[in-house]
Amino acid sequence: MNIAIIGGGIGGLASALALIQEGFKVTVYERSPQLVDLGAGITLAPNATRVLYHIGLGTQLEQTSVTPAKTEFLHYKNGEVIMQVTPKNYRELFGSPYMRLHRWDLQHAMLLRLAEIAPNTLQLNADIKGLESLSNHVDIHFTDGRVARADIVIAADGIRSSIRETLFNPAPPVFAGFVAWRGLVNTSDLPPHLHESVVAFGQGRHINRYLVRRGELLNFIAVAHRDHWEAEGWNIPAPMGEFLNEFSSFDADTREIISRPALGQVFKWGLFGRPWLEQWHSGRVVLLGDAAHPMLPFIGQGAANALEDAMILTRCLVAESDPQQAFTLYQDTRASRVRSATEQSAKRGDRYLGEPNKDSLKGDDAESRYGYNAVTDPLGR
Ligand SMILES: Cc1cc2nc3c(=O)[nH]c(=O)nc-3n(C[C@H](O)[C@H](O)[C@H](O)COP(=O)(O)OP(=O)(O)OC[C@H]3O[C@@H](n4cnc5c(N)ncnc54)[C@H](O)[C@@H]3O)c2cc1C
């Protein structure tokens, strides 16, 4: 079967690796002229790393990932510890670790592996304009006038998926009421006591900071409540003065960290959601990752669910030779788990708006999420 994947993000590249490993012929079409370092960190829980190990990335990721010994939750104003979370040994418990990574280290590991097992799979500068799903194949139309053909198409074109809007539901993404800023700080610029994994909360804002890349960089994501947001994209440079002013009531350590981003640069973007979509496939086209089910970042499971999708869809295509049956099995396997993660992320965001205390910050049942095994758990509802 000849499979086209739209989008070379986390979901698209993971799908390509999983499908090629099972012997499928795959082409990934990515609209960017090149995949670049967006300067951000990512948390990957055991349910995500399990898939990454299965597709051959474990050794590479272990070279740079960081697993925190503990995470402290602080009161924004005085930096007092409200609670401390000590993660279990997930490698021992579930057979796969909890990892924090520079996003580029993850993406780079995926690209290296792809080049190793199937060079020329990734086509850059390939901006999809539209799809024509016919009875036996799909015609893929590019904005430069080219046309390609595939037996099936996996649309992993992210939260602003044009394929979702043209083939499934035209409703645009909806602003979720939060704006985020991100930055990376060289740990050599910080005293050792600021190298910890910490989240500071208060006044409808929070700042999550953690080590990535062998501990050489401290990643921070700062989130604030907002009523309106108009700009699009992930990479909007933000004026430092405006950013520091937004978080000027936070404790001195937090302010010190966020005032030292590498190259003096922070980026901001708005957090968006979409209404729940009941059906993720139409004819020979199927949605995956944020294109199917974007979720807020507050439980760190968006990319993890894209990775689970990639694994489950691959297994369904191995189990069912008819694409319709494979897509139905994929949807049946994924829907309730993804919906629950989407709802939990939204609820967690709401809880962060109030006064921070042990009750408001108490975690939910993360281990039931982390224990899920997309590589071996049964398919179907
Ligand atoms: C602040 C923040 C923090 C987060 N932190 C975490 C975390 O710690 N852990 C976690 O698990 N998740 C996290 N997430 C979520 C995670 O980043 C996403 O869920 C994940 O990147 C989705 O992957 P994807 O492949 O579906 O989409 P994307 O990674 O967005 O990839 C989509 C790709 O499609 C390409 N594309 C789009 N349109 C076209 C087209 N027409 N033609 C060709 N190519 C196209 C794009 O260029 C892009 O490369 C976070 C998200 C945010 C906003």
Side-chain angles (χ1 to χ4, degrees):
M1 189 185 285
N2 175 9
I3 301 176
I5 298 174
I6 316 297
I10 293 172
L13 293 179
S15 302
L17 291 170
L19 287 162
I20 291 165
Q21 197 161 294
E22 292 297 336
F24 291 99
K25 183 167 170 10
V26 176
T27 307
V28 179
Y29 297 106
E30 164 58 46
R31 73 170 161 206
S32 312
Q34 62 187 97
L35 294 175
V36 289
D37 176 357
L38 289 174
I42 188 162
T43 294
L44 292 169
N47 54 313
T49 58
R50 185 172 286 119
V51 175
L52 296 172
Y53 275 76
H54 180 77
I55 58 179
L57 305 180
T59 314
Q60 181 83 20
L61 298 179
E62 280 175 13
Q63 289 172 14
T64 66
S65 65
V66 177
T67 299
K70 61 172 183 177
T71 297
E72 286 180 340
F73 291 176
L74 309 184
H75 193 280
Y76 74 102
K77 209 186 282 179
N78 48 24
E80 263 175 29
V81 179
I82 302 170
M83 61 189 273
Q84 181 175 304
V85 177
T86 311
K88 294 193 177 142
N89 183 342
Y90 291 116
R91 193 189 285 269
E92 212 170 83
L93 196 64
F94 297 136
S96 51
Y98 182 96
M99 286 180 164
R100 278 166 166 175
L101 287 157
H102 193 299
R103 263 177 193 261
W104 178 245
D105 295 341
L106 170 61
Q107 212 167 353
H108 189 237
M110 288 176 147
L111 293 171
L112 280 182
R113 177 85 179 136
L114 202 54
E116 186 190 326
I117 64 170
N120 306 320
T121 296
L122 176 63
Q123 291 199 12
L124 297 170
N125 254 327
D127 188 7
I128 309 302
K129 189 172 138 201
L131 300 175
E132 226 178 319
S133 185
L134 303 161
S135 56
N136 292 325
H137 64 267
V138 186
D139 281 338
I140 305 160
H141 296 268
F142 298 87
T143 48
D144 61 7
R146 280 181 297 150
V147 181
R149 183 165 285 190
D151 295 319
I152 62 168
V153 169
I154 300 172
D157 52 341
I159 184 167
R160 297 198 171 270
S161 169
S162 59
I163 295 170
R164 174 181 170 125
E165 288 180 16
T166 48
L167 291 186
F168 294 85
N169 182 341
V174 181
F175 179 55
F178 296 95
V179 175
W181 292 257
R182 70 175 188 276
L184 289 162
V185 186
N186 288 309
T187 43
S188 55
D189 291 344
L190 294 172
H193 79 279
L194 298 185
H195 295 192
E196 299 291 334
S197 175
V198 162
V199 195
F201 294 90
Q203 291 185 315
R205 301 178 177 85
H206 69 271
I207 302 184
N208 185 358
R209 60 188 202 242
Y210 54 85
L211 295 175
V212 295
R213 195 167 283 165
R214 297 175 288 266
E216 292 158 17
L217 294 168
L218 187 79
N219 173 67
F220 66 78
I221 295 188
V223 179
H225 182 54
R226 279 276 191 292
D227 290 329
H228 303 288
W229 175 260
E230 269 142 34
E232 262 187 37
W234 237 67
N235 248 4
I236 304 160
M240 269 313 274
E242 173 201 287
F243 168 56
L244 295 177
N245 193 37
E246 179 80 36
F247 293 91
S248 58
S249 58
F250 275 56
D251 65 285
D253 282 350
T254 302
R255 282 187 282 119
E256 175 167 0
I257 290 166
I258 65 173
S259 67
R260 293 181 181 227
L263 306 175
Q265 185 64 77
V266 289
F267 296 91
K268 71 174 171 179
W269 71 106
L271 302 187
F272 282 74
R274 289 212 193 239
W276 178 254
L277 190 65
E278 289 297 339
Q279 175 130 340
W280 303 348
H281 54 97
S282 167
R284 291 177 163 264
V285 180
V286 64
L287 299 175
L288 181 141
D290 279 5
H293 49 70
M295 63 184 76
L296 291 173
F298 303 127
I299 59 169
Q301 284 283 316
N305 274 278
L307 292 167
E308 289 181 3
D309 285 355
M311 193 63 241
I312 296 293
L313 180 56
T314 300
R315 290 176 59 203
C316 293
L317 287 164
V318 170
E320 299 284 355
S321 55
D322 173 43
Q324 305 300 326
Q325 286 180 14
F327 293 166
T328 304
L329 183 59
Y330 160 69
Q331 172 110 47
D332 285 351
T333 312
R334 297 298 296 141
S336 75
R337 182 169 162 77
V338 175
R339 190 159 196 170
S340 139
T342 308
E343 288 169 2
Q344 283 169 18
S345 324
K347 264 193 218 146
R348 180 73 66 89
D350 289 346
R351 281 198 315 189
Y352 288 171
L353 294 175
E355 176 64 16
N357 56 45
K358 272 195 177 148
D359 279 340
S360 66
L361 299 182
K362 200 166 60 193
D364 52 11
D365 183 16
E367 275 175 19
S368 66
R369 283 195 294 275
Y370 296 177
Y372 178 71
N373 191 337
V375 180
T376 57
D377 278 4
L379 299 176
R381 263 183 242 268

